[in-house]
Amino acid sequence: MLFTHYGVTGPVILSASSIVGRQLKKKELILHIDLKPALTEEQLDRRVLREFEANHNRQFKNSVDSLFPAKLRPVMVELSGIPEEKKVNEITREERLRFVRQIKDFQMTLTGLRGYREAIITKGGVSVKEIDPGTMESKLAAGLYFAGEVLDLDAVTGGYNLQIAWSTGFLAGTGV
């Protein structure tokens, strides 16, 4: 998953977009992201405590360098609700635990997809029920063959759509 100036993208988001796209037409959705999935909440709390102990006289905004990539740091500091100028040794247990929960359940509001002009994967097309799967010939119009993205097929990211295009193209070409 990649964070961008407009939201999130990457293989997991592209795969999920085909599922949540219909729901986004009805309402906004909340994306929950665990920014430290290898750690339990307790392990993460101990890690944050170690960082705070090592930086106990520094300002909060300067104590999270090893926790996040540079561009994510100011976002996490702002969303934490902890004043960025506050000294780490003044941060309460409740503030620290809230910060840990924020890391384990970072939330973003999903408002929509980027649109057709930027689409990597499209949805819809000729129904596969109307196609002979052995030849890719239309069951409705003899001599008309379909392949690839024109078909109503949807695969997860990772080359599967390319494989569908090659396989159906081969079948259609052989069928002709």
Side-chain angles (χ1 to χ4, degrees):
M1 183 172 61
L2 305 169
F3 290 88
T4 69
H5 64 284
Y6 58 80
V8 288
T9 190
V12 70
I13 298 298
L14 293 173
S15 292
S17 69
S18 70
I19 298 165
V20 301
R22 289 182 292 271
Q23 296 300 317
L24 281 172
K25 291 179 181 175
K26 300 174 191 172
K27 64 179 181 174
E28 293 180 345
L29 300 173
I30 304 297
L31 173 65
H32 297 264
I33 305 168
D34 184 345
L35 294 173
K36 297 291 181 184
L39 301 175
T40 66
E41 195 167 312
E42 294 77 23
Q43 291 170 321
L44 179 58
D45 185 38
R46 288 193 298 271
R47 166 87 189 277
V48 169
L49 266 173
R50 283 194 306 273
E51 293 300 319
F52 283 5
E53 288 169 4
N55 296 289
H56 67 278
N57 287 324
R58 296 181 82 183
Q59 295 173 327
F60 174 58
K61 69 179 178 181
N62 297 321
S63 69
V64 296
D65 290 357
S66 66
L67 292 174
F68 310 109
K71 290 188 177 185
L72 187 57
R73 288 178 206 144
V75 173
M76 296 304 290
V77 167
E78 181 180 341
L79 293 175
S80 73
I82 302 170
E84 65 179 31
E85 306 295 329
K86 189 172 191 174
K87 297 278 187 188
V88 171
N89 60 15
E90 297 172 355
I91 294 174
T92 67
R93 180 178 188 276
E94 291 76 27
E95 287 173 321
R96 186 189 80 242
L97 292 175
R98 189 175 64 237
F99 182 54
V100 167
R101 282 190 297 276
Q102 174 193 340
I103 297 167
K104 293 298 287 177
D105 187 23
F106 181 74
Q107 296 182 20
M108 297 179 75
T109 302
L110 302 178
T111 59
L113 304 178
R114 292 291 288 170
Y116 182 76
R117 289 187 174 268
E118 296 182 41
I120 294 172
I121 299 169
T122 58
K123 194 162 184 76
V126 177
S127 172
V128 292
K129 293 176 182 174
E130 299 173 357
I131 307 294
D132 177 339
T135 63
M136 304 313 294
E137 183 176 16
S138 169
K139 292 178 180 177
L140 305 178
L144 180 61
Y145 295 81
F146 297 98
E149 296 271 330
V150 74
L151 296 166
D152 185 14
L153 291 170
D154 188 24
V156 295
T157 304
Y160 299 102
N161 281 339
L162 292 173
Q163 184 61 55
I164 289 169
W166 295 324
S167 297
T168 57
F170 176 81
L171 288 172
T174 303
V176 169

